[in-house]
Amino acid sequence: MSAHISASNPPRATHARVSAPVYVYHLPVRIWHWVTVFSIATLSVTGFLIADPPWPVLLGQPSNLFLMGDIRVTHFIAGDVLAVALLVRMYWAVVGSRYEREIFMPAVWRGSWWRGLFRTIRWYFFLERETAREIGHNPLEQIAMFAMFTLGVLFEIVTGFALYGQGTGYGTWAYQLFTSWVVPLFGNGQILHTWHHLGMWYLIVFSMVHVYMTIREDIMARYSVMSTMVSGWRFFKDDRDDEEEGV
Amino acid sequence: MPAETHTFYEVMRAQGTSRRSFLKFCSLTAAALGLEPFYAARIAEAMETKPRIPVLWMHGLECTCCSESFIRSGHPLAKDVILKMISLDYDDTLMASAGYQAEAILDEIPKKYPGQYILAVEGNPPLNEDGMFCIVGGRPFVNKLKEVASNAMAVIAWGACASWGCVQSARPNPTAATPIDKVITDKPIIKVPGCPPIAEVMTGVITYVVTFGRLPELDARGRPLMFYGQRIHDKCYRRPHFDAGQFVEAWDDQGAREGYCLYKMGCRGPTTYNACSTTRWNGGVSFPIQAGHGCIGCSEEYFWDNGPFYQRLSPIAAGFGVEATADEVGGAVAAVAGAGVVAHAAGSIVKHVYGKKRSGTNARSGPDEGDRP
């Protein structure tokens, strides 16, 4: 398998070799990315504080204090920002480029996608000399973004709004849209809290791997990674073509 | 309706209740249900014209705590409910008759009042082994339940057992104890969960059904909204301490003496729908949180599998053989992922440095060369 797709074979593609950078992530996607980073970080910190308040006993009249209330409202605002940003991002997946659709819809129906996936897995196992020439995400990244990020964040948003609806009460939008069916699905609110908490850890693990892979690929892949999510441009370190182009 | 049935009013007058006391009773009932004053006249009219509703109260797998709670109702008094409002024709723990005489009523009432009686169920049927884990009157409870329910106007599921399954359905649920709504699917079911439910909630539900001839407004899970529309947390008198961030850290600390929020001691108030913090118990004397103990969430499904009740984060009992909280599981997974990242980064550095040394001489070598550090 590796013989006919490794970079060592003469490239089959005949079109012009392009080393010019590609404008791959439009401004809304980049803004969304950093807004999401900020809100997930805020949500995780406030989430830990809500789940198990670590501060020592606060004495004094409760009328002078609103610590838990402030932390919770921060959590709720960050959650709203995360959800609205994801809605905008979903809209952009429809109107944006194919590379901006990848995290919602990995192209699993394409044979080239699967070949790219195995090539990438070999690359991560140190069995491949170099990466393919990716314009968007490589197939493994697409799968990870979809399964860990997109589904993870959707899970957190749905369970989060369901818990929020318990607080806003019967008849409110959060209760009608989420609490009314999510809580029966999990049994009760306590179980839902546990799953919401686990979902956060899922996203934390994703973030760890995401940040590591971003730094690693920025150094080792044939293209820019970290600067791309700032400027939107993907730069290539060489002008060699390969048959994975355009996967 | 057969000729010998009487209206509520007739029964009350026959028992010596004056017209004046009757009207006061109607006013108090309207107040207890939170209705506007003119409803007192409607309640009086209903009780003067409507026949008493026959109620059959069956017991399955349960501990009878619902009955114990019910008989302590103060508004209205349980005796008034039983003797004046409903015709409690069968309740094996309260009725005078016993044996064949008692069991015969279960056959008689559905024939005599088809579609007009209420079936109240305390406890639930175990389904394993054809229901042999709960035998009442010589027959599996599940069979009798289905028979009696087939002609009922509505079914009231008393308590956590009938509503959700409760302790006898805790993992691994060897008897397959099953809540009522999974067994009776073709009748309106009103769930009155709690272990036990509050006495005034129980009599309040009956009063509503008797007065208006229909079920009260229910939420998506079949619970009457007027009692289960809000969480304990929403009306808890310790809520200001929650919002302030003032928590009890130990049962004997200063926070406990000051009456701080019991959230960190495992209180399930924030996820439990019940009326304890408004109606309270035993005529409004107290409720668990007022007594200094957190809510255990006894009116919620699966509360029995969410122990220990004294810690904030429930363990994940997913058959791992160990009980770990979300933080312990998530932290372990994150540690493994972190170790993987570190190991992979080390490998990547070796490959990168080694690859650079080689790339100067031969950038695009044979298929299998240069791949391994």
Side-chain angles (χ1 to χ4, degrees), chain B residues 16 34 106 116 158 174 181 183 194 250 255 304 312 357:
Chain B
L106 285 182
Q116 290 162 331
W158 285 141
D181 63 337
V183 179
W304 51 90
R312 171 64 204 138
K357 276 181 193 159

Side-chain angles (χ1 to χ4, degrees), chain B residues 16 206 234 316 369:
Chain B
I206 287 186
D234 293 323
I316 300 154
E369 281 182 45

Side-chain angles (χ1 to χ4, degrees), chain A residues 70-88:
Chain A
D70 286 335
I71 292 171
R72 288 174 74 238
V73 83
T74 310
H75 191 79
F76 299 152
I77 292 170
D80 287 340
V81 168
L82 180 73
V84 171
L86 189 69
L87 281 179
V88 173

Side-chain angles (χ1 to χ4, degrees), chain B residues 74-248:
Chain B
H75 309 283
L77 284 169
K79 95 175 161 59
D80 287 336
V81 174
I82 295 172
L83 299 178
K84 296 177 179 174
M85 297 173 65
I86 60 171
S87 173
L88 188 60
D89 292 314
Y90 179 92
D91 184 343
D92 49 31
T93 55
L94 285 179
M95 67 202 300
S97 57
Y100 290 112
Q101 194 188 5
E103 296 300 309
I105 296 170
L106 285 182
D107 297 329
E108 185 189 320
I109 296 293
K111 287 193 189 108
K112 205 163 153 190
Y113 306 98
Q116 290 162 331
Y117 62 95
I118 289 175
L119 169 62
V121 187
E122 190 178 339
N124 60 33
L127 301 185
N128 265 359
E129 309 288 349
D130 296 326
M132 295 300 280
F133 292 106
C134 183
I135 305 289
V136 182
R139 292 176 57 213
F141 174 64
V142 60
N143 296 0
K144 298 177 79 167
L145 174 69
K146 283 179 178 167
E147 278 171 26
V148 178
S150 62
N151 257 335
M153 177 173 85
V155 180
I156 299 177
W158 285 141
C161 300
S163 300
W164 312 127
C166 207
V167 179
Q168 62 272 39
S169 73
R171 270 190 306 266
N173 193 2
T175 64
T178 307
I180 301 303
D181 63 337
K182 303 267 166 55
V183 179
I184 311 294
T185 51
D186 57 345
K187 295 287 170 194
I189 293 177
I190 177 168
K191 288 177 181 169
V192 187
C195 195
I198 303 168
E200 281 73 17
V201 168
M202 300 177 78
T203 51
V205 167
I206 287 186
T207 308
Y208 190 100
V209 175
V210 165
T211 306
F212 296 103
R214 59 179 159 85
L215 300 184
E217 193 185 349
L218 307 177
D219 71 358
R221 309 194 77 182
R223 300 172 291 194
L225 268 173
M226 58 178 150
F227 298 117
Y228 296 91
Q230 284 184 317
R231 301 170 301 168
I232 307 278
H233 193 57
D234 293 323
K235 289 287 168 65
C236 182
Y237 78 103
R238 297 194 186 206
R239 178 64 187 264
H241 294 295
F242 172 84
D243 289 329
Q246 296 177 308
F247 302 107
V248 175

Side-chain angles (χ1 to χ4, degrees), chain A residues 173-189:
Chain A
W173 66 269
Y175 188 99
Q176 298 305 107
L177 288 179
F178 296 97
T179 315
S180 58
W181 63 275
V182 177
V183 170
L185 201 64
F186 285 85
N188 69 41

Side-chain angles (χ1 to χ4, degrees), chain A residues 85-152:
Chain A
L86 189 69
L87 281 179
V88 173
R89 181 66 181 81
M90 283 172 160
Y91 164 75
W92 199 262
V94 176
V95 302
S97 73
R98 57 184 286 196
Y99 307 108
E100 291 160 339
R101 256 192 295 282
E102 285 168 348
I103 67 165
F104 298 101
M105 244 183 3
V108 289
W109 56 87
R110 287 202 199 115
S112 58
W113 187 90
W114 286 98
R115 285 194 296 279
L117 177 69
F118 292 124
R119 182 202 167 102
T120 310
I121 291 172
R122 284 198 303 277
W123 160 248
Y124 286 144
F125 273 106
F126 308 108
L127 300 175
E128 199 71 53
R129 251 187 66 78
E130 59 181 14
T131 61
R133 192 172 174 283
E134 305 285 357
I135 296 175
H137 295 98
N138 72 43
L140 195 61
E141 285 166 349
Q142 292 175 24
I143 279 288
M145 291 299 292
F146 177 74
M148 292 205 71
F149 175 79
T150 308
L151 294 187

Side-chain angles (χ1 to χ4, degrees), chain B:
Chain B
M1 278 279 170
E4 73 267 29
T5 56
H6 301 286
T7 67
F8 303 102
Y9 183 58
E10 285 165 356
V11 172
M12 289 170 87
R13 289 308 298 268
Q15 289 175 343
T17 307
S18 68
R19 173 81 185 162
R20 183 182 176 81
S21 298
F22 167 72
L23 291 175
K24 275 166 86 177
F25 170 80
C26 294
S27 305
L28 279 172
T29 304
L33 289 173
L35 301 170
E36 290 176 54
F38 72 87
Y39 273 97
R42 281 186 57 182
I43 291 174
E45 192 196 341
M47 302 194 87
E48 282 167 350
T49 53
K50 290 184 182 172
R52 290 202 303 167
I53 296 179
V55 175
L56 301 176
W57 187 315
M58 296 176 75
H59 297 252
L61 278 190
E62 46 104 4
C63 70
T64 323
C65 75
C66 299
S67 293
E68 288 290 341
S69 176
F70 181 79
I71 59 176
R72 282 160 181 76
S73 174
H75 309 283
L77 284 169
K79 95 175 161 59
D80 287 336
V81 174
I82 295 172
L83 299 178
K84 296 177 179 174
M85 297 173 65
I86 60 171
S87 173
L88 188 60
D89 292 314
Y90 179 92
D91 184 343
D92 49 31
T93 55
L94 285 179
M95 67 202 300
S97 57
Y100 290 112
Q101 194 188 5
E103 296 300 309
I105 296 170
L106 285 182
D107 297 329
E108 185 189 320
I109 296 293
K111 287 193 189 108
K112 205 163 153 190
Y113 306 98
Q116 290 162 331
Y117 62 95
I118 289 175
L119 169 62
V121 187
E122 190 178 339
N124 60 33
L127 301 185
N128 265 359
E129 309 288 349
D130 296 326
M132 295 300 280
F133 292 106
C134 183
I135 305 289
V136 182
R139 292 176 57 213
F141 174 64
V142 60
N143 296 0
K144 298 177 79 167
L145 174 69
K146 283 179 178 167
E147 278 171 26
V148 178
S150 62
N151 257 335
M153 177 173 85
V155 180
I156 299 177
W158 285 141
C161 300
S163 300
W164 312 127
C166 207
V167 179
Q168 62 272 39
S169 73
R171 270 190 306 266
N173 193 2
T175 64
T178 307
I180 301 303
D181 63 337
K182 303 267 166 55
V183 179
I184 311 294
T185 51
D186 57 345
K187 295 287 170 194
I189 293 177
I190 177 168
K191 288 177 181 169
V192 187
C195 195
I198 303 168
E200 281 73 17
V201 168
M202 300 177 78
T203 51
V205 167
I206 287 186
T207 308
Y208 190 100
V209 175
V210 165
T211 306
F212 296 103
R214 59 179 159 85
L215 300 184
E217 193 185 349
L218 307 177
D219 71 358
R221 309 194 77 182
R223 300 172 291 194
L225 268 173
M226 58 178 150
F227 298 117
Y228 296 91
Q230 284 184 317
R231 301 170 301 168
I232 307 278
H233 193 57
D234 293 323
K235 289 287 168 65
C236 182
Y237 78 103
R238 297 194 186 206
R239 178 64 187 264
H241 294 295
F242 172 84
D243 289 329
Q246 296 177 308
F247 302 107
V248 175
E249 307 274 347
W251 296 114
D252 57 351
D253 71 355
Q254 185 61 24
R257 281 187 283 274
E258 302 274 352
Y260 285 179
C261 175
L262 295 160
Y263 180 73
K264 286 185 76 175
M265 303 308 286
C267 179
R268 303 289 194 257
T271 52
T272 303
Y273 287 85
N274 209 333
C276 300
S277 51
T278 43
T279 307
R280 309 198 183 191
W281 286 78
N282 301 318
V285 171
S286 185
F287 72 114
I289 294 169
Q290 192 173 343
H293 185 286
C295 165
I296 64 169
C298 76
S299 57
E300 288 292 318
E301 192 175 11
Y302 300 121
F303 84 88
W304 51 90
D305 281 335
N306 276 275
F309 297 131
Y310 304 109
Q311 64 185 46
R312 171 64 204 138
L313 295 173
S314 292
I316 300 154
F320 297 136
V322 290
E323 288 197 331
T325 64
D327 273 341
E328 287 159 353
V329 171
V333 173
V336 170
V341 162
V342 169
H344 199 266
S348 301
I349 290 167
V350 169
K351 178 185 164 105
H352 192 60
V353 172
Y354 186 66
K356 254 190 182 163
K357 276 181 193 159
R358 290 179 54 98
S359 63
T361 55
N362 190 359
R364 311 198 70 193
S365 53
D368 291 313
E369 281 182 45
D371 288 340
R372 298 176 186 88

